[in-house]
Amino acid sequence: MRQEWEPEDLIEVWTLLEEDQERLRNKSGANRLGFALLLKFFEVEARFPEDTGEIPVPAVSYVSQQVQVAAEEWAAYDWSGRAIKRHRMEIRGAFGFRECSEEDQAQLAEWLAVELCGVELNRDRLAEAVVVRCRKDRLEPPAPGQIARLVGKGVSTFEERFCAATVGRLSAATRSRLDDLIAEDAGADEESAGGGGTFFTELKADPGALGLDSLLAEVNKLQRVRGLQLPPELFADVSEKLVAAFPLREQDQQSAAEPQPALDPLAEPVLTQKRDRHPSETCIVRKSGPMTDLQHPSPADRSDADDVEQHACPKCDAQPGSPCRSRGGAVASAYHTRRFTMVPRLKKALRVPTPADRGPARPWRPGTPPPAPIDPDLPSADIRIGYARCSTLGQELDSQLDALAGHGIPRDKIFSEKISTRVRVRPKFEEALRTAREVKAHAPHCRVIFTVYEMKRLGRDAAELTALADHLTAHGLVLEMLAGPLPGIYDPTGPGKLLFAFFAAMAETERENIRESTLEGLDTAARKGKHGGRPPVITDDMLHTVLRRRAGGESVEQIQSDLIIPTGKRKGQSPSVASIYRALAEHAKREAYPEAVEQAHADFAALQAGEVPGPRPAIPDRASL
């Protein structure tokens, strides 16, 4: 959680509502402040803090004023006693959450192995997905270390199943050839160390300098790999990203820190059936190591070769997606001039070399053609995904939901949540964006429209709104707003983009105006003696009655039943004994140092009037009087 909070953010996120105050009714001191902070932290993050330092200092100060407990009491809150266990249980029950059991963790690991590990290789993002899933399923997320182990278990389970499924698709003859290949390499370790070599060792070796001998050696490798007779449909239902990133872990006994799938040596020969784009890939072996996250290149990351291979070569008849071919049937060392000049930005280039990953001078093979353009004759339609949001639990979403439904969006395609835009993770918002991207991927000929009621439902920060608009545009999505300063469908080009940026800046300005108005209102109320928070339980009249009757010899317990709370939610009830004792303690502090209290009030009034307080007169010690 971020540590810097503006006043309006504190008011929006950390203000205790009426039901929160009710839960604090039977708590006092450090337990009262600790429970309130845990409650609001859990509401924002859907988890409990690891330690006291994770909760921002401004939030501690703001909440302490509401619960009327000194902020210093937060350091005295017991993190290992029975009280915090009861507090956590009560907070989980208030939000409908429960602890994540071992069975839940096993189900999460199975969910990762089945749903995500095949398409997402970054473990940090897998951990984030676990947290979001826990929030969706109303589970308290495990500790970070447990999440890391859970992700590791899911990845390990997926890899074992992936290897088993791959081997299950191989014929008995192919498995026998692969076993012989591995056994041959394992049995020749001593010979290899003395200068000999095996085919598997040669397959992992670098081709070396370009020459006739190295070329013939690589052709021999290719023929022997093809001799394994791997089925062409071996990876038909597996994503390209997974096949490209799946590691070949060499059996290095010195660095074997964790168990590895025994069939990993199958990976390299098998990959040649999937990675048909470049001829050099039949002889490239990926070194052992962790899976890497390979994303599809964005337009900004595209190389000259990618742009050139969008076109067919008029000289060598190489089709789109393939490098140019020389007269001898090998991959040309550079693209033909008539081909690369089809790219506007390369028209004045003298030479465009073929990248090393295309395998220049190696035997030419056709690559994978780029995806075909969308047929303009396909029927098109507008598909809308709706999103509604409000900041606090006390606000209602009915008006937004009705407006979105009235615009023709089915209820099952409207995602709604009650959460502040300052919260780091907004699960429903991310789910709505993910759904829109998936719909666009499955129906590229349709226009997918991300619809909100007004701009501030998305956010109030200009940079955040502009980044969101760029994200939607990059994925081919369209943004629509039903009300506010920019109603209608957002045009991402030309004047439309300038207009959107202008109103995004206006939204941020509006937030700043709200902040200034809030601070001015709080300042004005403070000058009039009105402070935030609930009304005091013990009024001045009740305190006077308690002091008078205690002076007459009565105990607090005897007086308590005769006192009646005049206002607030507990109007008509008697205050608790603890509330009476707290009021008496505060009265004793005021009476002990009346001059200091009066001087503090005078200094505060001078500061509010814009004056600098003068030097304070010396206050005589009571012991010397």
Side-chain angles (χ1 to χ4, degrees):
M1 174 176 285
R2 59 192 178 97
Q3 297 296 310
E4 300 296 331
W5 287 76
E6 296 293 338
E8 75 277 8
D9 299 332
L10 290 173
I11 295 172
E12 183 178 4
V13 177
W14 293 90
T15 298
L16 295 171
L17 304 179
E18 187 175 355
E19 55 267 27
D20 300 333
Q21 297 283 4
E22 179 62 24
R23 297 187 182 101
L24 297 171
R25 182 168 53 87
N26 59 344
K27 300 173 179 62
S28 61
N31 284 342
R32 181 181 179 86
L33 178 59
F35 181 88
L37 290 171
L38 292 181
L39 178 70
K40 302 308 291 186
F41 186 94
F42 193 92
E43 182 179 350
V44 175
E45 295 284 329
R47 63 179 180 87
F48 291 108
E50 296 293 324
D51 50 47
T52 56
E54 193 171 356
I55 296 185
V57 175
V60 175
S61 177
Y62 178 65
V63 174
S64 66
Q65 295 176 15
Q66 298 180 74
V67 300
Q68 300 179 1
V69 176
E72 292 76 11
E73 294 290 334
W74 173 232
Y77 187 61
D78 188 4
W79 283 76
S80 58
R82 291 180 296 178
I84 191 172
K85 295 180 180 179
R86 292 196 305 269
H87 292 172
R88 290 188 176 213
M89 183 183 303
E90 185 176 348
I91 292 171
R92 283 192 295 265
F95 290 101
F97 278 66
R98 59 183 177 85
E99 285 188 281
C100 190
S101 63
E102 293 184 1
E103 182 180 357
D104 294 324
Q105 295 186 31
Q107 291 177 357
L108 288 171
E110 179 68 16
W111 170 71
L112 287 175
V114 174
E115 299 291 341
L116 292 185
C117 290
V119 295
E120 180 55 69
L121 309 180
N122 187 290
R123 295 203 177 197
D124 291 337
R125 285 199 282 269
L126 289 176
E128 292 176 1
V130 170
V131 174
V132 173
R133 178 60 184 262
C134 287
R135 184 163 189 161
K136 179 181 178 181
D137 293 346
R138 298 287 177 175
L139 291 173
E140 179 189 349
Q146 291 178 313
I147 292 181
R149 290 191 293 272
L150 187 151
V151 170
K153 180 180 179 181
V155 172
S156 176
T157 302
F158 168 77
E159 291 184 358
E160 291 177 0
R161 293 176 182 176
F162 175 71
C163 290
T166 301
V167 174
R169 297 177 180 179
L170 301 176
S171 63
T174 300
R175 288 200 298 269
S176 177
R177 296 187 190 98
L178 288 170
D179 290 338
D180 293 342
L181 177 65
I182 299 172
E184 176 187 359
D185 185 67
D189 287 340
E190 297 181 359
E191 181 183 354
S192 298
T198 65
F199 172 61
F200 194 61
T201 304
E202 294 176 3
L203 190 64
K204 295 184 290 182
D206 187 85
L210 179 62
L212 179 60
D213 293 339
S214 61
L215 177 61
L216 294 177
E218 297 306 307
V219 171
N220 180 53
K221 291 180 185 179
L222 175 61
Q223 292 175 348
R224 293 192 64 177
V225 169
R226 289 179 174 175
L228 297 175
Q229 297 181 359
L230 300 172
E233 71 282 357
L234 190 58
F235 288 124
D237 57 347
V238 180
S239 69
E240 293 278 355
K241 184 168 68 173
L242 173 64
V243 175
F246 197 87
L248 173 64
R249 299 184 178 92
E250 298 177 356
Q251 295 183 357
D252 187 354
Q253 297 181 357
Q254 296 180 353
S255 62
E258 59 181 2
Q260 307 293 346
L263 296 173
D264 271 356
L266 296 177
E268 176 54 30
V270 169
L271 289 180
T272 59
Q273 298 295 319
K274 187 70 175 178
R275 296 176 354 211
D276 287 337
R277 179 176 175 83
H278 307 298
S280 63
E281 291 177 341
T282 58
C283 304
I284 295 176
V285 177
R286 294 186 177 271
K287 302 302 180 183
S288 63
M291 284 188 173
T292 57
D293 183 33
L294 301 178
Q295 299 290 344
H296 296 291
S298 63
D301 298 331
R302 292 177 61 86
S303 63
D304 293 345
D306 293 328
D307 292 335
V308 171
E309 291 182 7
Q310 293 290 320
H311 308 277
C313 182
K315 183 174 181 180
C316 65
D317 295 330
Q319 296 302 309
S322 303
C324 287
R325 178 173 49 188
S326 67
R327 292 182 180 179
V331 177
S333 61
Y335 292 98
H336 295 134
T337 305
R338 294 170 58 187
R339 186 181 191 185
F340 70 72
T341 52
M342 295 180 181
V343 181
R345 63 184 179 86
L346 299 176
K347 280 188 175 182
K348 296 184 178 180
L350 299 178
R351 185 175 184 271
V352 178
T354 302
D357 60 356
R358 265 63 166 180
R362 299 184 185 277
W364 184 91
R365 289 174 59 193
T368 304
I374 299 174
D375 187 356
D377 295 332
L378 286 176
S380 179
D382 288 344
I383 303 176
R384 284 180 166 83
I385 304 296
Y387 175 70
R389 183 198 64 82
C390 61
S391 298
T392 63
L393 297 176
Q395 297 174 338
E396 294 298 334
L397 291 168
D398 294 341
S399 59
Q400 297 182 49
L401 297 176
D402 293 342
L404 293 172
H407 204 60
I409 306 177
R411 287 287 184 175
D412 59 340
K413 292 184 179 179
I414 299 177
F415 299 84
S416 62
E417 58 187 341
K418 295 185 177 183
I419 192 170
S420 170
T421 55
R422 293 293 184 178
V423 177
R424 180 171 55 88
V425 178
R426 288 184 278 165
K428 291 298 182 180
F429 179 67
E430 298 296 336
E431 186 176 353
L433 286 177
R434 183 173 64 254
T435 301
R437 292 194 299 266
E438 292 175 352
V439 171
K440 184 64 178 179
H442 287 85
H445 58 284
C446 296
R447 187 170 66 163
V448 180
I449 304 174
F450 191 81
T451 306
V452 295
Y453 182 69
E454 54 186 342
M455 181 184 296
K456 61 184 179 181
R457 299 304 106 200
L458 298 172
R460 293 182 182 269
D461 183 82
E464 178 186 359
L465 290 171
T466 304
L468 173 62
D470 292 341
H471 175 81
L472 296 176
T473 304
H475 289 83
L477 306 176
V478 179
L479 179 61
E480 181 182 26
M481 286 165 281
L482 304 182
L486 191 63
I489 295 178
Y490 159 58
D491 179 11
T493 60
K497 189 165 188 175
L498 295 176
L499 191 61
F500 182 85
F502 170 75
F503 283 114
M506 291 297 295
E508 185 171 7
T509 303
E510 180 186 1
R511 186 176 187 87
E512 291 298 324
N513 292 337
I514 294 175
R515 173 180 178 273
E516 294 177 1
S517 300
T518 302
L519 293 177
E520 291 176 1
L522 293 174
D523 183 58
T524 302
R527 291 184 181 184
K528 296 179 179 179
K530 298 179 180 179
H531 302 278
R534 62 178 182 175
V537 175
I538 306 298
T539 63
D540 292 340
D541 292 339
M542 295 169 66
L543 180 61
H544 178 74
T545 301
V546 173
L547 293 173
R548 178 175 53 79
R549 293 179 63 175
R550 284 194 74 189
E554 296 185 62
S555 65
V556 172
E557 288 75 10
Q558 294 172 332
I559 304 171
Q560 180 253 350
S561 59
D562 296 332
L563 301 178
I564 303 298
I565 300 174
T567 59
K569 188 174 181 179
R570 299 182 59 199
K571 179 179 179 181
Q573 301 180 18
S574 297
S576 64
V577 174
S579 298
I580 299 175
Y581 277 117
R582 280 197 299 270
L584 291 173
E586 293 174 1
H587 174 74
K589 290 180 180 179
R590 291 194 298 268
E591 291 297 314
Y593 301 98
E595 297 87 352
V597 174
E598 292 178 3
Q599 184 64 41
H601 285 299
D603 291 347
F604 180 76
L607 288 173
Q608 295 298 318
E611 302 174 0
V612 178
R616 298 183 179 180
I619 300 176
D621 189 359
R622 286 182 173 272
S624 62
L625 297 179

